Amino acid sequence: MIEIKDLEFNYTGLESPGMHFDLEVAGGEVLSLIGPSGSGKSTLLSLIAGFLMPAAGEILLDGAAIETLPAARRPVSIVFQQHNLFPHLDLYTNVALGIDPALRLTPSQVASIGDALERLGLSDLRRRKPGSLSGGQRQRVALARALVRRRKILLLDEAFAALGPAQRAEMISLVKNLVQENGMAALLVSHQPRDALIASERTAFLCKGRITALQPTAELLEQSALPEVREYLGSM
Ligand code: ADP
Ligand code: MG
């Protein structure tokens, strides 16, 4: 569903060799991206989201090129570790802003917000402000805001890093189900190998701006002989 072909990128002023990405993500798939800090995981997500423009190469969604579209017109939702919720607005409004910054919503959009809040266990909190919620609840709101947009591509950049293992596992299972149900394609960046095991049949390993391995998650984590993978994972 997502095809990334010969995508080239270099931050201006950097002398290091540029980044180069080739990757495919299937419909319904949550592909995990792991790799050391600075390996280019967030850069790859930013290229897909349109916050950065590639020097060359293509990003296709169902065969149609999206790499020239401005960020606002790409079929992409992104969730960061910092939830970026507005502190003075209640949960319902924070989620609604994912659909329309001017809050002009159709009845079916209002209904979809209700559905998303229900699905994420937030219905009773809809009039609360982010400051009165736990970290886990705030990340649920950020995920709800991403999901109501109904975009085909979901990007999660260490979105659940602040949560404990049990809450992370729960959120990731939820993401996996939602991606499958809605035929989306997701990329999940996490520093926890266990997250990749829960989320993904396949995991990509990034090193120095390249994908140096892409294989079944357990195989990558347990059997990879690549030195950069062994060094990153340490003794698991
Ligand atoms: P990761 O998310 O895997 O930790 P990043 O994609 O954030 O890695 O960064 C990849 C590389 O690009 C790093 O070497 C980082 O220092 C560099 N980099 C990231 N953002 C910028 C920027 N705005 N300007 C210049 N270099 C950057
Ligand atoms: Mg990053």
Side-chain angles (χ1 to χ4, degrees), residues 9-14 16 19 21 34-46 52 157-158 189 191 206 209:
F9 179 78
N10 208 344
Y11 286 104
T12 47
L14 290 194
S16 54
M19 302 190 187
F21 302 108
I34 64 170
S37 288
S39 57
K41 304 179 297 295
S42 295
T43 302
L44 174 55
L45 297 195
S46 294
L52 297 172
D157 196 351
E158 302 187 38
V189 171
H191 272 300
L206 268 72

Side-chain angles (χ1 to χ4, degrees), residues 204-218:
F205 185 85
L206 268 72
C207 184
K208 299 181 181 148
R210 315 263 144 157
I211 294 165
T212 60
L214 173 55
Q215 59 197 103
T217 305

Side-chain angles (χ1 to χ4, degrees), residues 92 99 105-118 148 150:
Y92 176 88
I99 299 178
L105 303 181
T106 65
S108 81
Q109 287 173 327
V110 170
S112 74
I113 297 171
D115 289 346
L117 292 175
E118 181 75 42
V148 293
R150 302 200 178 283

Side-chain angles (χ1 to χ4, degrees), residues 30 45 77-80 143 154-160 175 186-190:
V30 180
L45 297 195
S77 294
I78 185 159
V79 185
F80 300 99
L143 183 59
L154 178 64
L155 307 175
L156 300 151
D157 196 351
E158 302 187 38
F160 309 130
V175 166
L187 283 163
L188 176 103
V189 171
S190 170

Side-chain angles (χ1 to χ4, degrees), residues 193 205 221 224 227-236:
F205 185 85
L221 295 177
S224 175
E228 64 266 28
V229 176
R230 300 275 35 112
E231 188 187 334
Y232 173 70
L233 293 172
S235 52
M236 256 181 70

Side-chain angles (χ1 to χ4, degrees), residues 13 32 35 47 53 70-71 104 106 117-118 132-133 167 171 199 214:
S32 283
L47 286 163
M53 288 299 189
R104 287 174 307 234
T106 65
L117 292 175
E118 181 75 42
S132 71
L133 303 177
Q167 276 196 328
M171 293 292 281
L214 173 55

